[in-house]
Amino acid sequence: PYAAHSILLKGPSGCGKSRLVARLAQEMEVVYQTLDAYQLVDRWISQGSMDLSSYLHELGKRGKTILLLDHLESLSTVDTHSSTIAAAARAVTAQLCSLLDDMATQPNVIVFGVTSGELDGRFEHNQRFDMHLQVDPPNRWGRAEILYLATETMPLDQDVDLPLIATLSSGMTAQDLNNLAR
């Protein structure tokens, strides 16, 4: 059987890609760690080089683990920034690609990459992600479920019709619907 060690989730911002991975880790009762690309670039600029490969090996020692690489699109949108930020983004991308290339040696770790935009071409090279999945905004039934979950602890007036709101909110993301409920 085919076992994916790295999965890329693509879709518009706010669709719940990162939340989906967090929920999966919770349901599977495994260790869950996040590396945010924005924070990695900041860390690279302030502290210099880092060894993500050893970080991956340490995660593997903890047992079954899901590692989320969040906001990967940010690494390809730095061309308009200073040369320091662009250099840091290139270095972080190289480190993350190396981490993905090393996945076969870490059977306890599954990496989820999340992007809401274009990726640096190096992530596509050599099929660094075993699977690519598109996460779209929720359909009417998904929107209704999100609204029910978002409002389950809220006192609602009798005339609030969540299925109608779900029907009228076409194109809204999970984040939009949670904001609407608040």
Side-chain angles (χ1 to χ4, degrees), residues 74-93:
S74 68
L75 298 172
S76 64
T77 60
V78 295
D79 291 337
T80 60
H81 293 78
S82 75
S83 60
T84 303
I85 295 173
R90 284 191 296 276
V92 168
T93 300

Side-chain angles (χ1 to χ4, degrees), residues 58-135:
E58 287 302 313
L59 282 180
K61 291 178 184 176
R62 293 172 146 186
K64 297 290 183 186
T65 301
I66 289 180
L67 173 61
L68 174 69
L69 304 177
D70 210 356
H71 300 115
L72 292 176
E73 73 281 355
S74 68
L75 298 172
S76 64
T77 60
V78 295
D79 291 337
T80 60
H81 293 78
S82 75
S83 60
T84 303
I85 295 173
R90 284 191 296 276
V92 168
T93 300
Q95 282 277 321
L96 291 176
C97 287
S98 177
L99 180 142
L100 290 167
D101 291 343
D102 201 23
M103 284 305 302
T105 66
Q106 297 301 320
N108 284 337
V109 181
I110 298 174
V111 173
F112 283 86
V114 172
T115 184
S116 51
E118 292 299 315
L119 278 181
D120 184 296
R122 290 177 283 178
F123 287 115
E124 303 291 343
H125 182 67
N126 290 337
Q127 300 169 335
R128 288 200 160 103
F129 286 99
D130 299 326
M131 299 174 90
H132 292 232
L133 301 173
Q134 180 69 32
V135 179

